[in-house]
Amino acid sequence: MQQKKFSGYIVGGAILLVLLTWVITSYNSFVKKQEKVKLQWSEVQNTYQRRLDLIPNLVNVVKGVSDFEQTTLEKITEARSRAITGLSNDELTAENYRQQKGLQDTLAAAANRLIIQIERYPALKGTAAYAGLQTQLEGTERRIRVARNDFNEAVADYNKKVRGFPSNLVAGIFGFKRKEGFEAVSGTEKAIEIKF
């Protein structure tokens, strides 16, 4: 009788150990999937921030194309003047080296902009700037769409785990609830009009 009782404890302990292992594994799986949803949401927010940062800058670039054409030579002249002034400092210190390198880099960058402008001058028109703006806007919208799709996939994966049996028992015990993904809103079938 002692032997049967001892075997019963072993079987009961093994079942309890398997059950406990399953609960821990399920819980960790929920946490992992929940973190994946949070990560994908952060990526959606990053793409939104990119849009917020990019669009005003691109619009200003388009507006500033004519200003850039007018001020390129002025920038080169100023950079050259500053670089010449930096040469007059004869003291050999690391700070003076860095300062001169910075002044020369500025001058080189301004000269490179002039060279590029001269090479592209016939193509440098407002329409090219608008085409660039359009390309950047399309790219940004594409990134947002991809980020949203990735988020929806992470949410769907998480929700399958929350709703599936027997993992739904662990989800209920530990309070893992279903999450909502992106859905099309009414009116999205109409194209967004961008006006300049």
Side-chain angles (χ1 to χ4, degrees):
M1 177 118 171
Q2 282 285 13
Q3 184 99 13
K4 279 188 163 184
K5 197 174 189 185
F6 183 70
S7 295
Y9 285 138
I10 290 177
V11 169
I15 291 173
L16 186 61
L17 183 64
V18 167
L19 186 61
L20 185 63
T21 302
W22 174 77
V23 169
I24 290 170
T25 305
S26 293
Y27 178 83
N28 288 338
S29 177
F30 277 118
V31 169
K32 188 176 180 180
K33 290 182 185 300
Q34 192 174 48
E35 289 303 313
K36 176 73 173 175
V37 169
K38 287 179 184 177
L39 177 71
Q40 292 305 134
W41 178 244
S42 293
E43 187 58 33
V44 170
Q45 289 178 318
N46 286 339
T47 57
Y48 285 159
Q49 188 62 49
R50 181 180 191 274
R51 177 198 280 157
L52 292 173
D53 294 342
L54 179 68
I55 291 175
N57 290 336
L58 289 173
V59 171
N60 287 334
V61 164
V62 171
K63 288 179 183 176
V65 166
S66 59
D67 291 340
F68 175 77
E69 292 171 352
Q70 294 170 1
T71 60
T72 301
L73 290 176
E74 292 173 11
K75 287 182 180 180
I76 289 175
T77 304
E78 290 171 13
R80 183 177 179 275
S81 175
R82 285 192 302 267
I84 288 172
T85 304
L87 286 176
S88 64
N89 194 344
D90 292 334
E91 194 174 334
L92 301 176
T93 64
E95 179 59 34
N96 287 343
Y97 289 145
R98 281 193 295 275
Q99 181 184 14
Q100 184 58 35
K101 181 186 179 308
L103 293 170
Q104 291 298 325
D105 288 348
T106 303
L107 177 59
N112 286 338
R113 280 194 299 270
L114 176 64
I115 291 167
I116 290 169
Q117 183 181 6
I118 290 170
E119 289 174 353
R120 295 184 180 172
Y121 187 76
L124 185 58
K125 296 184 173 137
T127 55
Y130 284 113
L133 174 60
Q134 181 182 2
T135 301
Q136 288 296 322
L137 288 173
E138 288 170 358
T140 300
E141 294 305 318
R142 193 175 307 112
R143 287 175 189 229
I144 290 171
R145 183 178 44 84
V146 168
R148 283 179 174 179
N149 285 343
D150 291 346
F151 174 73
N152 278 347
E153 287 175 13
V155 167
D157 189 40
Y158 171 83
N159 285 342
K160 284 179 201 171
K161 182 86 172 168
V162 167
R163 295 182 64 210
F165 184 79
S167 60
N168 63 343
L169 301 174
V170 174
I173 291 170
F174 291 105
F176 290 100
K177 302 211 181 310
R178 215 172 159 272
K179 297 194 179 296
E180 295 295 322
F182 282 101
E183 294 179 9
V185 230
S186 62
T188 55
E189 65 278 358
K190 297 176 186 170
I192 297 173
E193 185 180 348
I194 299 174
K195 296 181 180 180
F196 294 100

